[in-house]
Amino acid sequence: MANWSTYLTPGPAEQQLGLFCLGVGEQIHAGVPAPERALGCHALVWVKEGRGQLLHGPDRQLFEVRSPAMLWLYPGVLHGYRPATKWRQLWVLFGGTATTGLAALGHLDPHRPVSRYADPRPVDRAFGRLLRVAGAHNAVQTAAALYDVLGLAAVESGDGVAERLAGLACVVASVQDYAAELGLTVKELREAVRREAGVTPQELVLRTRLSTAKALLAEEELSIAAVARRVGYEDPAYFSRLFTARTGVSPRTFRRSGSIPGPISSF
């Protein structure tokens, strides 16, 4: 289907969802430059076919585009398409208070206007679903589909670093050691984890350790010291202080609080 669009006007209740769709569509550009403009909202543009360049930012920097690729457009930021071939794109306009949090987590990064993917099929399927549910004017399903696209689109080709780091998190090591194990420099590790998870490697390691500790406390009959060792802390007192500071309750209180149904053995 060529050149169609649907624009939406979310009401007060829909805006309270925090993320809402303002428009979706499909467009085909011939191999000629499109007019330059700046949007009043965020946009994602999924280039399914074609290649060319994206003009982006006040310095009019040109970024190479080769399908399949995602273009990230930001409110008030100048952009323009420079197709070298016929260029077919799907697009969505969106806004809401959630964009502030998404930006803080690294999912909306104005310094990364073009993304490409080792396997674009999940992004392609998610974007197609987004356009279908948005066209049905279901705000909740559209918000969910938009979150799905944003989550998948944030992971570029060759990534998955955050997931691999999480798999190493309970091994006692320095950031330099983690980077070496993953075949990256420290700078590359920091950039990849920030892009995928929105946090530093140290924070991802800490969160992973705490999540693992919670599961062990809730599901295993291990002493606090044993749990601490399992997640990378030789000093159980330090582990308990850290756990309490980050969760608001001590490991013992967490275990007693009924985090899972049924009785929990003492320790």
Side-chain angles (χ1 to χ4, degrees), residues 18-19 41-44 70-75 94-113 146-147 149-151 153-154 194-196 198:
L19 191 67
C41 62
H42 288 271
L44 292 177
M70 187 73 79
L71 311 184
W72 303 72
L73 307 179
Y74 299 87
F94 64 96
T97 55
T99 58
T100 301
L102 289 164
L105 290 170
H107 285 267
L108 297 174
D109 181 358
H111 299 101
R112 184 200 57 186
L146 185 51
Y147 271 118
V149 170
L150 287 163
R194 169 66 180 175
R195 182 170 58 244
E196 296 177 34

Side-chain angles (χ1 to χ4, degrees), residues 28-47:
I28 295 178
H29 293 280
V32 295
E36 299 174 12
R37 61 174 178 161
L39 298 172
C41 62
H42 288 271
L44 292 177
V45 179
W46 180 236
V47 181

Side-chain angles (χ1 to χ4, degrees), residues 50 52 94 134 151 171 190:
F94 64 96
V171 176
R190 287 173 176 158

